[in-house]
Amino acid sequence: MSCIQLSTQHTAAVAHGLAFLLNGAGGMDLLSCDVITPQTCRAFKSCMYPYDSLFDDRRIYAVLCRLNESAYEDRYQIQPDELDGAPAMPQNFPHLLHTLIWDNGHYTIDRDFYAFAKLLDSFIYQCSEDVNRDSEVLAALSAISRALYAFIVHNSADYAAAEWAI
């Protein structure tokens, strides 16, 4: 296994998508019910705005940067730099997740959802080092990935057209 430090754009795209999901996924109940669990809320509790119950993508970004950095340092036995902090969240990055069109009993999944799922999987893979084995954040990311997969499959036309029993 290898580990790379992901770009700020990659991490920002994941953070922004996670905030969208954790903040109710634009009212897409099928998705938000599986994403907003006690586990995910506990893992990202430090990422909430101070005076309401919404999640801040900039705070999520900082948490994700630290998770990726700790995996990289552990993998290559690099001493952590105590002065390092998360780099500033970039202004320009892909904003992939958005409210989807409801059509004929399911949401129409677009390329952006697939792109986000792959960026999230890549992020999880790059952070899956021993140092993060017990990380609540990494466990929450894996649970969110599974929920996102289920949402995408259950809303695909091919799944809807498949036989329930044969």
Side-chain angles (χ1 to χ4, degrees):
M1 184 169 145
S2 65
C3 179
I4 63 170
Q5 285 188 304
L6 295 164
S7 72
T8 57
Q9 288 78 16
H10 184 132
T11 305
V14 172
H16 186 73
L18 290 172
F20 174 80
L21 295 172
L22 291 167
N23 287 331
M28 295 185 294
D29 292 334
L30 283 171
L31 182 53
S32 62
C33 290
D34 290 331
V35 169
I36 304 169
T37 65
Q39 175 193 22
T40 57
C41 289
R42 188 174 50 253
F44 291 102
K45 185 171 179 53
S46 68
C47 302
M48 297 178 85
Y49 286 104
Y51 301 110
D52 60 27
S53 59
L54 295 176
F55 293 86
D56 181 353
D57 63 347
R58 295 164 301 170
R59 292 178 184 199
I60 294 171
Y61 172 80
V63 167
L64 296 182
C65 284
R66 285 192 297 276
L67 188 69
N68 184 225
E69 184 175 35
S70 70
Y72 184 80
E73 291 169 349
D74 183 60
R75 177 68 175 169
Y76 299 107
Q77 301 299 305
I78 298 170
Q79 292 296 339
D81 185 350
E82 305 244 346
L83 299 176
D84 268 0
M89 188 169 172
Q91 296 287 330
N92 297 318
F93 60 89
H95 294 72
L96 297 170
L97 295 190
H98 50 85
T99 305
L100 296 171
I101 296 169
W102 179 258
D103 183 35
N104 212 15
H106 65 278
Y107 289 103
T108 303
I109 305 297
D110 62 23
R111 294 176 56 111
D112 289 345
F113 266 69
Y114 291 106
F116 176 79
K118 197 156 192 179
L119 288 178
L120 179 58
D121 284 348
S122 171
F123 187 89
I124 292 167
Y125 179 84
Q126 297 307 328
C127 294
S128 294
E129 294 293 331
D130 288 342
V131 70
N132 293 332
R133 181 176 307 184
D134 296 326
S135 168
E136 274 189 316
V137 172
L138 191 58
L141 292 174
S142 295
I144 290 169
S145 176
R146 288 189 303 275
L148 186 61
Y149 279 3
F151 177 78
I152 288 171
V153 168
H154 285 105
N155 284 283
S156 73
D158 290 337
Y159 180 84
E163 295 296 325
W164 181 256
I166 55 172

